[in-house]
Amino acid sequence: MDVFEALASRRSIRGFRPDPVPRATLERLLEAAARAPSGSNIQPWHVRVTQGAEQARLTAEVRAAHLAGAMVPREYHYYPRQWREPYQARRRACGFGLYELAGVARGDKAAGQAQRLRNFDFFDAPVGLFFTIDRDMEQGSWLDYGMFLQSIMLAARGLGLDTCPQAAWCDHHDIVRRVLGLRDDQMLVCGMSLGVADPDVAVNRLVTERAPLADFVTFGTEA
């Protein structure tokens, strides 16, 4: 598919088929994504791939910790400390849309918890990716990282695969670090589920809206 089709069809998939993803395919998309730009070409990304028994062990340990309420403080703030508009409304629309498709009624805490736990099942995806960054990198390198992550997601679409980037893993970065043997001098940025989307999973029908250009673009006066 061309890049515009990949951009339009990329979405966060929350239900995957068990179809395995060959290592050659993973290497191809990661090599393509590594062409992402970075300041002075420093390429500040590190990727840890997990599959099979190791992935299952990580799922079991993190699910148990989450159910026990044993989350740890995230090492960076993903969301604003104080929500305001228009961001609060967009966040709520996304959450309400997801929960409606998942059949989670408002106020049903048990069902909401079950849906959140799906993050730690990798939504049944056969591949989990974890991304870390050296702790001494500054904000510019985090901008670079975003471009790298987007490149992975678009390359996946080009190969007929789908993804779900997940900050939820940062609530258990201690377990992720221990199970996967991540270095202490690197910070967990996020996880990502990768595989073939399951069209029968209702939440995969979620298509989030995007603001019109007039809301975020200002054109200068033409000469």
Side-chain angles (χ1 to χ4, degrees):
M1 63 179 69
D2 68 27
V3 66
F4 287 96
E5 185 179 355
L7 283 163
S9 64
R10 188 222 61 81
R11 61 201 191 282
S12 293
I13 291 297
R14 296 177 176 87
F16 292 85
R17 297 191 336 217
D19 310 35
V21 179
R23 177 164 176 165
T25 300
L26 292 172
E27 291 179 349
R28 183 182 178 194
L29 74 85
L30 289 169
E31 285 174 352
R35 298 301 307 175
S38 59
S40 299
N41 195 37
I42 66 172
Q43 306 168 64
W45 38 77
H46 304 275
V47 185
R48 177 63 158 81
V49 182
T50 185
Q51 298 170 280
E54 180 186 67
Q55 184 183 14
R57 177 190 168 197
L58 180 60
T59 285
E61 292 202 24
V62 171
R63 279 181 63 93
H66 199 81
L67 284 169
M71 285 79 79
V72 294
R74 295 189 178 188
E75 295 186 283
Y76 69 94
H77 291 283
Y78 188 92
Y79 291 113
R81 292 176 173 85
Q82 183 66 43
W83 285 99
R84 60 180 176 83
E85 299 302 343
Y87 310 111
Q88 177 76 302
R90 293 172 182 170
R91 179 194 187 206
R92 286 175 172 167
C94 179
F96 291 155
L98 172 65
Y99 276 26
E100 182 178 2
L101 286 169
V104 178
R106 294 190 187 185
D108 189 339
K109 295 183 179 180
Q113 171 79 308
Q115 181 60 36
R116 283 190 293 274
L117 281 169
R118 292 283 291 144
N119 275 283
F120 309 123
D121 296 331
F122 296 90
F123 302 109
D124 299 324
V127 177
L129 304 175
F130 288 90
F131 304 94
T132 60
I133 188 170
D134 293 2
R135 293 181 182 277
D136 57 351
M137 293 294 99
E138 296 290 351
Q139 286 179 312
S141 291
W142 286 76
L143 294 175
D144 298 339
Y145 223 119
M147 292 185 279
F148 174 64
L149 293 170
Q150 173 78 329
S151 296
I152 289 176
M153 292 184 276
L154 295 181
R157 291 300 304 125
L159 294 173
L161 300 171
D162 279 286
T163 55
C164 185
Q166 299 163 269
W169 291 100
C170 294
D171 290 332
H172 301 282
H173 59 83
D174 55 336
I175 300 175
V176 175
R177 183 177 309 282
R178 174 172 51 78
V179 173
L180 301 185
L182 303 181
R183 287 166 37 186
D184 289 337
D185 63 349
Q186 293 177 0
M187 185 185 304
L188 180 64
V189 176
C190 67
M192 183 182 292
S193 298
L194 183 146
V196 177
D198 185 342
D200 296 328
V201 175
V203 292
N204 286 343
R205 296 197 298 270
L206 178 66
V207 178
T208 53
E209 295 183 359
R210 293 297 186 269
L213 292 186
D215 283 7
F216 64 93
V217 178
T218 302
F219 290 97
T221 304
E222 296 183 7

